[in-house]
Each structure stands twice: as structure tokens, then as C-alpha cells.
Amino acid sequence: MGRYVVRRIIQAIPVILGATFLIYALVFLLPGDPITALAGEKRQDPSVVQVLRDRYHLDDPFFIQYWDYLTGLFKGDFGEDYRGNQVVDVMRRAFPYTINLALTALVIEMVVGITAGVVAALRRGRFIDNVVLISTLMVISIPVFVIGFVLQLLLGVKLNTDYGIDFFPVSFNEEAGFRSYLLPGYVLASTSLAYVARLTRTSLIEVMRADYVRTAVAKGLSPLRVVVRHGLRNALIPIVTFLGMDLGSLMGGAVITEGIFNIPGVGHQLFQSVYLRERTIVVGIVSALVMVYLFANLVVDLLYAVLDPRIRYE
């Protein structure tokens, strides 16, 4: 197991290098001058612009700029943005919001999605099964920003004005604490939740047809034990795979959700940085997200051995 983990870590190095190179090149190719973008429509003194360009080596060839950034990255230095702020400090401020949002979405996705899938599988062909299938199909078909604005209006505004229930903040509020993450967390998890429910239903139906499940039923085990210990445990392998891959997607795909609910997280910071061509912030955030994605996949692979003892890593 230890050698497998070391091998996976070594394999992750070229992936991270490739991601940094690709993102750095894409931001480098964006049209416009990042120094000019800092001032917006205001005029800048050409001498000041040239000083800033020399300070950040913007006139150097691409490969020299990338090499300077990469050597600093190996030393643990993510560089600084064009305002003189350390990228590490920018990421330290933004990441806690996105991590809280992504974990909230993941918990909602697991609890609601798996529960709906199990109920639909056990009531296959009945009314509740059709409700789950139709509702999940509707959620998948509706864009996330539409779900966000509709829930924001219904649960954030109407629920407060019509019934006096102010539980879901319309916009992110530090003082509201965990409540500020519930509504955006559900919006962020909505599409993935629907996929988890359908995947759980399909996987559990297939597992419940297996011979060892029929044997467990014939031995007189309780229906709950048959479903949880013999059915759901074996059906969880594809679900865990999806959830592990989705964790990175939740963190990287929070741009729209954070924009709707005004959450100062990674997605909001990434959007602003791309607009201002802050390549060091963009590459730093993307590199961190790639590492989160790779770590989540490693954890998923290790969980396979827990869910299925037949799986071993040499």
C-alpha cells in the first residue's frame, strides 16, 4: 500500500507541471496589457507602466517568464500579483470559503442523493421511483444559475417576506455562519445530487440481483441488513468514484454559485483574476485545485480496499 501511494504521488508531479504550463500559457495569450487593466479606463503614466512591466518581467519571452515562475514554485513561492500582494495570502483568504461551500455541497449530495437512490431502487417501478427519476431529470436539465436564482427568490426572499422565516440568507453573510452555506451548497450540489441518485439506484438494483444477496435473504437476514451490509456496501464503489472526482469539480466549478450568492471564495477570485490577467493568482489557484483533485482520487482508490476486501494494491 505504501509503495502504491508513493507511486501515485510521483505520477502526480508531471500532471501538476502540465497543468501549470497550460494555464500559464493560456493566461499569457490573453489579449491586452495586465498593467493597463489595473487602472481600468484611467490613463497611466507610460514611465510608471514601464517600471511595473520591468518589475514583473512582462517583456521577457514566455518560456523565461514560465521558468522564473516554476523555479519560485518549487521553492514554495507562488509569487505576487500586480498589486504587490502575495498569492499565498490571496489564496489563504479565499480557499476557506470555497472549502466550506464544497464540503457542504458534498454532504448534501451524499445524504440526499444516496438516500433518494436507495429509496428509488427499493421501490423500483412504483410511484416514488418515478418521482425520483422525473425530478432528477428536471434538475439535470435546468442550468445551475437558474436553480440558484429561483431558490434565492423562493427561500431567501419569499419565505422571509410572506412567512417571516429568515433562515436562508439571500447573500453571503459572515454573521449567519453555517446558514450562509446551506442554500448555495444545495445549488452547487444540485446537478451532481441528481447524478448520484440515479447512479445509486442503478448500482443498487444491479447488486440486489446478485446471488450472494439472494443467499442472504434465504438465510433469513433482516431486509435492512441485506440492503445495508450486502447491497449498499457493494453498490457504493461507483458512487464513491463519482463523489471523489466531483469534490474537485465542486471546488473548481463554484464560480457561478459564488457569484450568485456573493461568496468571496476561489471561484470569485479566479474570475476576477482572469479578467485582470493576474496570471500568478490564476496559476496558483488552478495548481491548488489540481492537487485537491489528485488527492481526492488517491483517497477514492484507497477506499476501494475498504469497501471491497478483494481489492489489493501491490
Side-chain angles (χ1 to χ4, degrees):
M1 182 71 75
R3 286 183 297 178
Y4 174 78
V5 173
V6 172
R7 187 166 66 248
R8 287 291 300 271
I9 293 174
I10 295 175
Q11 292 172 352
I13 295 177
V15 176
I16 297 174
L17 292 178
T20 57
F21 177 81
L22 181 62
I23 299 301
Y24 200 94
L26 290 175
V27 179
F28 181 85
L29 293 174
L30 287 176
D33 185 3
I35 302 301
T36 305
L38 289 175
E41 298 181 356
K42 297 180 181 179
R43 292 190 59 185
Q44 287 183 316
D45 188 342
S47 61
V48 175
V49 173
Q50 190 58 46
V51 169
L52 291 175
R53 293 187 65 84
D54 293 340
R55 176 181 176 181
Y56 295 107
H57 307 286
L58 296 179
D59 293 325
D60 292 344
F62 166 75
F63 286 102
I64 293 179
Q65 293 187 42
Y66 177 70
W67 177 253
D68 291 339
Y69 175 80
L70 199 61
T71 52
L73 192 63
F74 280 123
K75 299 176 183 177
D77 181 14
F78 283 82
E80 61 181 28
D81 62 12
Y82 299 130
R83 296 179 176 85
N85 301 314
Q86 291 294 320
V87 175
V88 173
D89 294 333
V90 176
M91 294 169 58
R92 188 181 293 117
R93 290 193 300 267
F95 259 97
Y97 297 104
T98 300
I99 291 175
N100 290 335
L101 177 62
L103 291 179
T104 302
L106 188 66
V107 171
I108 294 174
E109 182 180 330
M110 291 170 57
V111 174
V112 180
I114 294 177
T115 301
V118 170
V119 172
L122 298 180
R123 297 292 184 269
R124 182 187 178 191
R126 301 181 184 179
F127 175 76
I128 188 64
D129 183 26
N130 294 326
V131 169
V132 171
L133 291 176
I134 294 174
S135 60
T136 52
L137 182 61
M138 291 177 59
V139 171
I140 294 172
S141 304
I142 301 175
V144 173
F145 66 89
V146 175
I147 297 176
F149 285 125
V150 170
L151 291 182
Q152 192 178 47
L153 175 63
L154 295 178
L155 300 181
V157 178
K158 293 291 186 180
L159 197 64
N160 185 17
T161 57
D162 296 348
Y163 301 99
I165 302 176
D166 186 18
F167 186 77
F168 298 102
V170 177
S171 183
F172 181 78
N173 185 2
E174 292 273 8
E175 297 179 356
F178 178 69
R179 290 190 294 113
S180 286
Y181 292 103
L182 288 178
L183 193 55
Y186 181 81
V187 172
L188 182 60
S190 57
T191 302
S192 298
L193 183 154
Y195 284 120
V196 169
R198 285 175 163 262
L199 184 60
T200 303
R201 175 187 179 275
T202 303
S203 181
L204 186 57
I205 289 176
E206 182 178 354
V207 169
M208 294 300 288
R209 295 171 177 168
D211 293 337
Y212 60 85
V213 175
R214 285 197 289 264
T215 302
V217 174
K219 289 169 60 178
L221 298 180
S222 65
L224 180 61
R225 187 174 183 182
V226 171
V227 172
V228 174
R229 184 167 183 177
H230 296 279
L232 187 58
R233 181 175 179 178
N234 291 281
L236 279 178
I237 291 180
I239 302 167
V240 169
T241 303
F242 180 85
L243 291 173
M245 296 177 62
D246 197 48
L247 178 60
S249 302
L250 290 174
M251 294 189 63
V255 178
I256 296 176
T257 306
E258 290 182 355
I260 294 174
F261 294 94
N262 197 29
I263 300 176
V266 169
H268 177 76
Q269 184 64 56
L270 190 60
F271 176 81
Q272 295 293 331
S273 300
V274 171
Y275 178 76
L276 295 175
R277 301 168 186 83
E278 294 276 8
R279 68 185 67 169
T280 52
I281 295 181
V282 175
V283 178
I285 290 177
V286 171
S287 300
L289 292 176
V290 169
M291 287 187 281
V292 170
Y293 188 85
L294 293 174
F295 176 75
N297 277 270
L298 175 60
V299 172
V300 167
D301 288 345
L302 297 179
L303 283 177
Y304 286 163
V306 177
L307 295 173
D308 191 345
R310 295 172 298 178
I311 298 176
R312 288 288 181 268
Y313 298 109
E314 299 297 338

